[in-house]
Amino acid sequence: MRFPVRLRVAVVALAAIVVACSSDSSVAPSTNQTTTLSQVLSEMTLPAVSGVASTLSSAPVTSAATPVPSTCSYSASSQSFSCPTVTMGGLTITQSYTLLDASGKPQSQFDPNTTAAVRTTMSGAGTLTLTGFNTGGSLTIDQQQDMTLSGLLIGTHVLNGTMTMHMSGAMSTGTTTTPVNSTMTMTTTNLVLPTAHTGATAWPTSGTITEDMTTALDAGFLAAPIHMTMTFNGTSKIAVVITIGTSTQRCTMDLANPGLACA
């Protein structure tokens, strides 16, 4: 199936931001009784979802390391930890996290017996250069992300949060260049992460990730908005519903072997 250029641009930018702070680890929590802060931060990056990029676009995905707790400094005034700024693939990325107890009160250090949730914030800005077979151009990106992983004390880890992003520039496919001036929001809702890891890749057991994008064309008119919903079920095969304007298509994506099949 051939997707409109605007949809492929949306997914390229989405994937770049989703994995801008990703590691290559699984999304599954450790089977150890004691969960470390590093494990929690790694869970929150959702690298398994980065398969979306290679499914809908040939553009490369930029990847940076998960924050290393020992390199992040606690601030009593903000009651959060600030991590070193990194630059990857043209994007300057700033990250911080806040530790919360069962009542939602910030903590100054991680304790597996009392830390109930971790909230991370990330901002990214810069220019992402698109290179690859028959693909080129660049996108200037400015985005903010706020995610919270809860349930650390009860064993069921649930991820919620939002990301907002503005991107502008151009994307070329072959001899065709398409201007881009888009605003996108991504919402993660009650994404339940797997509770065990057996050596094979594990997948979120339920929950959704949705994306909404609006694009301004050359004359300032708005093109048809795009809405995409990915619904997880514990397997690598997830339901994807894509709506462009008033047209809706239902698809299935296999994150283990990225491919999109649409009815």
Side-chain angles (χ1 to χ4, degrees), residues 134 172-178:
N134 213 32
S172 61
T173 303
T175 60
T176 301
T177 298
T178 304

PDB file of all heavy atoms in Angstrom, residues 134 172-178:
ATOM      1  N   ASN A 134      16.211   7.031  -2.146  1.00  0.00           N
ATOM      2  CA  ASN A 134      15.151   7.815  -2.792  1.00  0.00           C
ATOM      3  C   ASN A 134      14.466   8.783  -1.831  1.00  0.00           C
ATOM      4  O   ASN A 134      13.343   9.221  -2.089  1.00  0.00           O
ATOM      5  CB  ASN A 134      14.094   6.894  -3.412  1.00  0.00           C
ATOM      6  CG  ASN A 134      13.486   7.489  -4.668  1.00  0.00           C
ATOM      7  OD1 ASN A 134      14.148   8.216  -5.405  1.00  0.00           O
ATOM      8  ND2 ASN A 134      12.228   7.197  -4.918  1.00  0.00           N
ATOM      9  N   SER A 172      11.808  15.159   0.429  1.00  0.00           N
ATOM     10  CA  SER A 172      11.838  14.819  -0.991  1.00  0.00           C
ATOM     11  C   SER A 172      11.793  13.313  -1.178  1.00  0.00           C
ATOM     12  O   SER A 172      12.424  12.556  -0.435  1.00  0.00           O
ATOM     13  CB  SER A 172      13.098  15.391  -1.652  1.00  0.00           C
ATOM     14  OG  SER A 172      14.265  14.852  -1.066  1.00  0.00           O
ATOM     15  N   THR A 173      11.010  12.900  -2.158  1.00  0.00           N
ATOM     16  CA  THR A 173      10.934  11.501  -2.555  1.00  0.00           C
ATOM     17  C   THR A 173      11.167  11.450  -4.055  1.00  0.00           C
ATOM     18  O   THR A 173      10.337  11.922  -4.838  1.00  0.00           O
ATOM     19  CB  THR A 173       9.563  10.909  -2.208  1.00  0.00           C
ATOM     20  OG1 THR A 173       9.334  11.064  -0.805  1.00  0.00           O
ATOM     21  CG2 THR A 173       9.510   9.437  -2.556  1.00  0.00           C
ATOM     22  N   GLY A 174      12.304  10.914  -4.456  1.00  0.00           N
ATOM     23  CA  GLY A 174      12.656  10.937  -5.875  1.00  0.00           C
ATOM     24  C   GLY A 174      12.875  12.371  -6.317  1.00  0.00           C
ATOM     25  O   GLY A 174      13.675  13.097  -5.739  1.00  0.00           O
ATOM     26  N   THR A 175      12.129  12.813  -7.330  1.00  0.00           N
ATOM     27  CA  THR A 175      12.257  14.182  -7.833  1.00  0.00           C
ATOM     28  C   THR A 175      11.191  15.109  -7.261  1.00  0.00           C
ATOM     29  O   THR A 175      11.121  16.277  -7.630  1.00  0.00           O
ATOM     30  CB  THR A 175      12.145  14.186  -9.368  1.00  0.00           C
ATOM     31  OG1 THR A 175      10.871  13.647  -9.754  1.00  0.00           O
ATOM     32  CG2 THR A 175      13.268  13.369  -9.997  1.00  0.00           C
ATOM     33  N   THR A 176      10.370  14.592  -6.344  1.00  0.00           N
ATOM     34  CA  THR A 176       9.280  15.393  -5.769  1.00  0.00           C
ATOM     35  C   THR A 176       9.666  15.895  -4.386  1.00  0.00           C
ATOM     36  O   THR A 176      10.074  15.117  -3.522  1.00  0.00           O
ATOM     37  CB  THR A 176       7.992  14.556  -5.656  1.00  0.00           C
ATOM     38  OG1 THR A 176       7.618  14.085  -6.950  1.00  0.00           O
ATOM     39  CG2 THR A 176       6.857  15.388  -5.072  1.00  0.00           C
ATOM     40  N   THR A 177       9.535  17.213  -4.179  1.00  0.00           N
ATOM     41  CA  THR A 177       9.817  17.817  -2.879  1.00  0.00           C
ATOM     42  C   THR A 177       8.519  18.359  -2.290  1.00  0.00           C
ATOM     43  O   THR A 177       7.790  19.110  -2.948  1.00  0.00           O
ATOM     44  CB  THR A 177      10.835  18.956  -2.997  1.00  0.00           C
ATOM     45  OG1 THR A 177      12.070  18.421  -3.502  1.00  0.00           O
ATOM     46  CG2 THR A 177      11.089  19.608  -1.645  1.00  0.00           C
ATOM     47  N   THR A 178       8.222  17.972  -1.057  1.00  0.00           N
ATOM     48  CA  THR A 178       6.989  18.380  -0.397  1.00  0.00           C
ATOM     49  C   THR A 178       7.312  19.266   0.801  1.00  0.00           C
ATOM     50  O   THR A 178       8.027  18.844   1.715  1.00  0.00           O
ATOM     51  CB  THR A 178       6.202  17.153   0.100  1.00  0.00           C
ATOM     52  OG1 THR A 178       5.954  16.284  -1.001  1.00  0.00           O
ATOM     53  CG2 THR A 178       4.892  17.570   0.738  1.00  0.00           C
TER      54      THR A 178
END
